[in-house]
Amino acid sequence: MMTIRGAAYVAGIYEHPRRDIPDRTLFEIHTEVALGALADAGLTMSDVDAVFCDGTAGFGPLSLVEHFGIHPSYFDSTETGGSSYLAHVGHAAAAIAAGKCSVALITLAGKPRTGRSVVSYAQGPETGFESGWGVSGAPHTYALAAQRHMYEFGTTSAQLAEIKVAASIHAQYNPNAYLPYAVTVEDVLNSPLVADPLHRLDCCVVTDGGGALVVVSPAVARSLGRTSAKILGHGEAVKHTSNGGIDLTYTGAVWSGPRAFAEAGVSVADIKYASIYDSFTITVLQTIEDLGFCKKGQGGKFVMDGGLVAPFGKLPFNTDGGGLCNNHPSNRGGVTKVIEAVRQMRGEAHPAVQVPNCQISLAHGTGGSLGSKHGSVTLILGQEDA
Amino acid sequence: MLPAPAPVINSTTAEFWKATTEGRFILQRCDACDIVLWFPRRNCPKCWTEDVSTFDAQQTGTVYSFTVVRKGKGAFQNAGPFVIAYVELADGPRIMTNIVDCDIDALHVGMPVEMVFHDTGEGSALYRFRPLSA
């Protein structure tokens, strides 16, 4: 069976340093992050032969390619919310393995703070049945998942708060972080309830910004002076309401995780660092259970006592401060998940949170809602010689 | 009363929403594989036949999960704290809805509830739930 293991490398990364960008358009931010990631790889726009973007960039690849002024031989606009960019990495690797392209550019840009924040989708068949109830923000449906997890497994608000605390400990080393300071469990519990049981500090930040990734063939990677991260495995899945049978206690990671681990030929014990999508604290808790870092229902215990704190916790996570504290550009955190994992593999995370000998890492995205349907994507990355 | 904004209605869901104005909550059942469908569809999502029929569902259930939204937006901006929930119907499906006429502090997973209808004034009524009267 053909796999993407070792068929492609992440050679360039760039995270926009700003969190409020009133003076640039959406497409200008796409260009800025694209040029940043290409420069990081030692490539230029003229080297790009594949473009990947989400469904918010105008007419997708048509608008973006015209804006960039290039003529790629491959494009993909898979739209699964915040997990889109992890899917793009997997799809780019598959396209490179199939010989369709050799330098794939993945960009994300958005301005929920200073520009248009609402992404409009065509009405789906569920529209009349998942609206009308006053659902006006992601916290409302994620809260439903948190409440049920608490009911079934005894998970507590203090345990969820530990996830924010760990992210905030990391964020204090990131001068670009939107919330660059440490918070306590009490700070989280004392912040206003948004949608029970989720408090304001259980939620990610809202930031303008963007990021970009450059995925290249092994031959291109070898030609570059920069250290790349080897793509070892990729898995994706959609979890939905299953014809009225929704179970709010697990995520699509129960399917995407095993697919990625199998392709990579590694197990959870091999993962030294994990970027776990953190739209909300509950998103992290359910995901680490579903990926197998602990048993179902034990996530609350797992995250206590600094379990997620780098560099020496059981599972160092989100060392940039994550979506919870650093950056959630365009209300989508997927691209920053890959970026920080690559920093860890290169040994370029902040020294205070750099995981020693970080040979293999995982990046996971959750886009959509835990409370209805979402796209889950798991990537496993290794150092160049992994 | 909680605002009752009219839902989007299309050719597939028109029959369902018309029934709500008569105080009826109809579900579909696949005639071929006998499963109950939620939400209304033309094709069974298990065997994809169009041979689906409707029946009047029981209007009771239990709270599967819930959240108290502390401040709504749009039509719900001035609603005060309100409850969004999934209710597991006696006929099976877990459906998104609101819980109304309840003591928020007494609300809990597993609570028995019964359906009420809130007319939107536009040819439909929202199906919501209140604690089952003893």
Side-chain angles (χ1 to χ4, degrees):
Chain A
M1 190 179 80
M2 190 177 122
T3 80
I4 62 163
R5 192 184 197 287
Y9 291 75
V10 182
I13 56 173
Y14 186 79
E15 178 181 5
H16 202 291
R18 292 166 67 188
R19 305 292 179 261
D20 281 285
I21 316 178
D23 54 322
R24 305 221 169 183
T25 69
L26 184 82
F27 281 87
E28 288 166 355
I29 298 170
H30 273 283
T31 302
E32 194 177 359
V33 296
L35 294 175
L38 287 163
D40 180 53
L43 294 164
T44 70
M45 191 65 92
S46 60
D47 297 311
V48 173
D49 60 4
V51 164
F52 292 71
C53 63
D54 62 28
T56 71
F59 204 159
L62 279 65
S63 301
L64 208 50
V65 164
E66 178 179 65
H67 183 71
F68 289 153
I70 57 177
H71 297 278
S73 57
Y74 198 84
F75 47 78
D76 176 329
S77 54
T78 297
E79 169 64 281
T80 57
S83 59
S84 301
Y85 324 93
L86 293 105
H88 296 160
V89 171
H91 299 180
I96 289 169
K100 296 286 187 182
C101 54
S102 59
V103 177
L105 173 64
I106 300 163
T107 59
L108 159 70
K111 296 176 38 124
R113 294 192 69 78
T114 63
R116 203 170 70 93
S117 66
V118 178
V119 179
S120 59
Y121 300 102
Q123 285 168 357
E126 77 286 5
T127 299
F129 305 94
E130 291 180 6
S131 56
W133 315 117
V135 176
S136 56
H140 302 164
T141 53
Y142 280 78
L144 294 169
Q147 187 84 264
R148 185 69 194 187
H149 198 277
M150 289 179 163
Y151 172 78
E152 290 203 23
F153 303 114
T155 306
T156 67
S157 288
Q159 289 171 333
L160 290 177
E162 291 279 4
I163 296 166
K164 179 74 161 201
V165 169
S168 76
I169 288 170
H170 302 155
Q172 61 187 328
Y173 301 107
N174 181 354
N176 294 328
Y178 189 75
L179 303 175
Y181 49 81
V183 300
T184 65
V185 168
E186 289 69 33
D187 291 335
V188 179
L189 299 183
N190 291 333
S191 66
L193 280 165
V194 175
D196 307 31
L198 298 181
H199 302 77
R200 179 175 293 163
L201 292 186
D202 284 299
C203 306
C204 61
V205 298
V206 176
T207 48
D208 290 354
L213 308 168
V214 180
V215 179
V216 303
S217 67
V220 171
R222 280 192 297 274
S223 75
L224 300 172
R226 195 78 163 99
T227 302
S228 297
K230 190 177 188 176
I231 298 168
L232 300 179
H234 151 261
E236 58 189 40
V238 173
K239 178 174 178 262
H240 53 72
T241 57
S242 294
N243 186 37
I246 192 168
D247 181 335
L248 291 173
T249 63
Y250 70 92
T251 75
V254 298
W255 302 302
S256 67
R259 288 168 188 160
F261 280 115
E263 187 165 56
V266 303
S267 70
V268 290
D270 298 311
I271 304 300
K272 304 295 187 215
Y273 164 81
S275 286
I276 305 288
Y277 203 95
D278 54 348
S279 44
F280 300 92
T281 51
I282 184 63
T283 320
V284 176
L285 190 103
Q286 290 202 9
T287 303
I288 59 178
E289 294 175 348
D290 295 339
L291 291 173
F293 290 106
C294 62
K295 286 184 181 164
K296 190 75 230 169
Q298 298 298 304
K301 291 193 180 74
F302 186 89
V303 302
M304 290 173 71
D305 305 316
L308 299 177
V309 178
F312 301 119
K314 290 186 292 263
L315 181 67
F317 98 129
N318 299 8
T319 41
D320 60 335
L324 287 169
C325 297
N326 169 33
N327 196 9
H328 196 238
S330 190
N331 295 326
R332 289 149 173 263
V335 78
T336 50
K337 293 289 161 284
V338 181
I339 288 171
E340 184 65 7
V342 172
R343 290 192 192 114
Q344 282 284 351
M345 316 292 296
R346 285 173 164 174
E348 294 179 358
H350 188 282
V353 294
Q354 174 66 47
V355 176
N357 195 24
C358 188
Q359 291 176 308
I360 298 178
S361 69
L362 176 149
H364 182 85
T366 309
S369 177
L370 290 194
S372 55
K373 55 190 165 295
H374 57 266
S376 297
V377 186
T378 309
L379 291 176
I380 296 174
L381 304 172
Q383 289 183 332
E384 279 186 355
D385 55 358
Chain B
M1 196 174 85
L2 206 54
V8 174
I9 300 175
N10 63 33
S11 57
T12 301
T13 62
E15 181 187 0
F16 173 88
W17 289 110
K18 182 172 185 300
T20 61
T21 65
E22 302 158 1
R24 297 160 54 226
F25 185 88
I26 59 174
L27 284 171
Q28 294 169 305
R29 180 180 280 119
C30 173
D31 296 333
C33 62
D34 202 36
I35 63 167
V36 174
L37 276 50
W38 178 254
F39 29 79
R41 313 163 190 245
R42 185 168 302 282
N43 299 83
C44 168
K46 185 179 175 191
C47 73
W48 303 287
T49 179
E50 288 193 13
D51 296 329
V52 296
S53 50
T54 60
F55 66 99
D56 275 30
Q58 300 171 71
Q59 297 186 358
T60 56
T62 56
V63 175
Y64 173 74
S65 193
F66 70 95
T67 184
V68 183
V69 176
R70 296 292 158 169
K71 180 154 181 51
K73 291 181 186 167
F76 291 74
Q77 190 164 9
N78 300 313
F82 65 95
V83 179
I84 298 172
Y86 271 105
V87 164
E88 183 173 307
L89 295 174
D91 286 298
R94 292 170 180 163
I95 66 173
M96 196 182 286
T97 185
N98 297 120
I99 310 294
V100 296
D101 303 331
C102 67
D103 172 3
I104 282 174
D105 294 328
L107 196 59
H108 59 272
V109 173
M111 175 182 266
V113 290
E114 62 185 355
M115 200 176 285
V116 294
F117 292 92
H118 289 178
D119 201 309
T120 66
E122 297 181 40
S124 57
L126 297 185
Y127 46 93
R128 287 168 166 158
F129 292 81
R130 66 184 178 203
L132 187 63
S133 38

